[in-house]
């Protein structure tokens, strides 16, 4: 359906290790699967309270069956069934969220399955040419050691401080256990695609932030940033200076929900539209799009496939 090879390790990480859920369709009990609608569960903090969400993913219908997209279509049947079983006030996941392509989003809105809650944007930071070499030496960026209890405790303390800033919104849990699953046991970690670092500030070496980076299209994509909101811009500046020092003309990029732009936009940065809308479930009874509008904090790390 997507013209890509099936990645069994990624599938197992998502649906076995991650307790993923899915709906499939067959023409009869003995035939091959012709449609699939999956979801990756996610612990969240919902307006200050712990809850569960699920990210719909791997939505596909075999091209030979994919003739139309009305309410009699196989796409609608698997999507509606998944939403009814998995998302809403009376089932296991209060919310659904995701990153559908524009075609899927438009079809789902027309069928009454999704509504829009936000846009996903890209912020491109200017290459740093810091003249204050002393400040570079004082700020430290070190690799995160998941086997070191002190490092895990620092990460958990950063997450505890961060979630306090989202009592009026929605954010996925970003503690040490989540980082372990999302980045350190992910199949892409075998190829060292993710780099997890801790930043420290000044002579005090006080922990500033935790970040995850990934090479993407020749640039550095900031997958995750964990710290209080007031520390985000300083942390991005430190990280940008560090990258420029070790990689020359490195370009740092961040994908984030549009409603969170002010927390991470710095002087000289450029904002690009990604053409991705963040949906919510509108088929099964649950929190309305009015309540959820602009409430999510999402970054590239919240995606299941990058």
């Amino acid at each position: 359906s997507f013209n890509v090879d099936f990645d069994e390790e990624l599938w197992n990480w998502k649906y076995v290790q991650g307790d993923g859920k899915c709906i499939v369709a067959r023409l009869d009990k003995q035939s091959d699967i012709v449609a699939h609608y999956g979801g990756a569960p996610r612990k969240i903090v919902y307006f200050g309270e712990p809850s569960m969400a699920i990210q719909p993913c791997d939505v596909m219908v075999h091209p030979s069956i994919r003739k139309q997209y009305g309410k009699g279509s196989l796409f609608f049947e698997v999507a509606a069934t998944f939403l009814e079983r998995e998302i809403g006030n009376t089932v296991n996941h209060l919310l659904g969220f995701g990153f559908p392509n524009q075609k899927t989003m438009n079809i789902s809105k027309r069928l009454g399955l999704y509504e829009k809650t936000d846009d996903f944007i890209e912020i491109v930071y200017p290459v740093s040419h810091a003249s204050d070499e002393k400040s570079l030496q004082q700020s430290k960026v070190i690799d995160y050691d998941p086997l070191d209890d002190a490092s895990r405790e620092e990460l958990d303390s950063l997450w505890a401080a961060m979630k306090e800033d989202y009592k009026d919104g929605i954010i996925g849990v970003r503690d040490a256990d989540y980082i372990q699953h999302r980045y350190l046991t992910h199949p892409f970690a075998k190829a060292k695609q993710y780099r997890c670092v801790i930043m420290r500030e000044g002579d005090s070496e006080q922990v500033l932030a935790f970040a995850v980076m990934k090479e993407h299209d020749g640039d550095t994509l900031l997958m995750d940033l964990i710290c209080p909101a007031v520390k985000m811009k300083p942390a991005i500046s430190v990280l940008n200076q560090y990258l420029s020092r070790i990689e020359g003309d490195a370009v740092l990029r961040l994908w984030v929900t549009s409603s969170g732009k002010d927390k991470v936009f710095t002087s000289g940065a450029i904002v690009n539209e990604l053409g991705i809308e963040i949906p919510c479930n509108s088929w099964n009874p649950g929190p309305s799009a009015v309540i959820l509008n602009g409430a999510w904090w999402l970054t590239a790390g919240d995606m299941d496939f990058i």
Side-chain angles (χ1 to χ4, degrees):
S1 185
F2 292 128
N3 255 350
V4 296
D5 293 333
F6 179 77
D7 188 332
E8 186 172 351
E9 281 191 294
L10 184 60
W11 204 262
N12 286 333
W13 172 82
K14 196 183 307 183
Y15 293 101
V16 179
Q17 296 177 39
D19 194 28
K21 311 299 178 185
C22 65
I23 296 292
V24 300
R26 307 174 189 268
L27 296 180
D28 58 60
K29 289 183 179 181
Q30 308 304 320
S31 68
D32 292 336
I33 292 171
V34 293
H36 179 279
Y37 193 110
R42 183 72 192 276
K43 292 180 181 179
I44 63 170
V45 179
Y46 177 78
F47 296 100
E49 298 297 328
S51 190
M52 287 294 297
I54 194 166
Q55 179 188 166
C57 47
D58 305 313
V59 179
M60 42 193 166
V61 180
H62 194 282
S64 66
I65 308 295
R66 200 171 57 218
K67 305 300 183 184
Q68 43 89 23
Y69 290 98
K71 289 195 173 181
S73 68
L74 196 51
F75 167 78
F76 175 81
E77 292 293 338
V78 293
T81 301
F82 183 91
L83 297 180
E84 289 166 8
R85 290 189 178 188
E86 300 295 342
I87 303 174
N89 291 332
T90 60
V91 287
N92 291 333
H93 308 97
L94 179 64
L95 304 179
F97 72 99
F99 309 88
N101 61 43
Q102 199 62 59
K103 180 180 179 181
T104 300
M105 184 66 177
N106 290 341
I107 292 168
S108 298
K109 287 193 291 187
R110 178 168 55 82
L111 294 175
L113 297 169
Y114 297 171
E115 286 186 69
K116 175 183 173 180
T117 64
D118 211 335
D119 290 290
F120 212 43
I121 60 171
E122 175 185 68
I123 300 177
V124 184
Y125 297 96
V127 175
S128 175
H129 296 291
S131 57
D132 186 0
E133 193 65 28
K134 184 178 179 181
S135 69
L136 287 176
Q137 293 172 355
Q138 288 179 339
S139 300
K140 293 185 178 180
V141 179
I142 59 174
D143 289 327
Y144 170 68
D145 182 1
L147 300 180
D148 177 55
D149 289 341
S151 295
R152 286 178 58 91
E153 288 173 5
E154 283 186 326
L155 174 52
D156 282 337
S157 70
L158 285 168
W159 161 241
M162 183 180 187
K163 71 178 180 180
E164 290 298 307
D165 293 325
Y166 292 87
K167 287 184 175 180
D168 295 326
I170 310 165
I171 187 171
V173 168
R174 284 163 159 76
D175 60 11
D177 288 341
Y178 167 76
I179 294 299
Q180 180 74 26
H181 169 70
R182 173 61 182 88
Y183 298 108
L184 303 178
T185 65
H186 193 287
F188 294 172
K190 291 184 178 180
K192 299 183 178 179
Q193 292 191 35
Y194 304 124
R195 185 180 178 193
C196 301
V197 299
I198 288 179
M199 286 170 272
R200 302 187 184 281
E201 54 184 337
D203 295 330
S204 68
E205 294 199 3
Q206 183 176 352
V207 64
L208 172 65
F210 175 93
V212 183
M213 298 174 285
K214 180 181 187 288
E215 190 278 331
H216 184 75
D217 291 341
D219 292 330
T220 299
L221 181 61
L222 182 52
M223 299 286 291
D224 242 320
L225 182 63
I226 304 174
C227 63
V230 70
K231 298 289 188 179
M232 286 186 172
K233 292 179 184 180
I236 288 169
S237 295
V238 168
L239 196 60
N240 204 15
Q241 290 176 2
Y242 170 77
L243 290 172
S244 297
R245 185 174 57 176
I246 66 171
E247 297 182 11
D249 291 338
V251 175
L252 179 65
R253 300 173 181 267
L254 170 66
W255 297 351
V256 66
T257 31
S258 179
S259 57
K261 181 183 74 172
D262 290 346
K263 293 183 176 70
V264 289
F265 184 84
T266 61
S267 177
I270 298 170
V271 177
N272 295 323
E273 300 294 332
L274 291 172
I276 299 173
E277 297 177 349
I278 306 301
C280 70
N281 155 60
S282 61
W283 181 254
N284 212 32
S288 71
V290 173
I291 294 172
L292 304 178
N293 185 51
W296 273 105
W297 169 268
L298 298 168
T299 64
D302 292 296
M303 294 175 154
D304 67 293
F305 54 86
I306 191 170

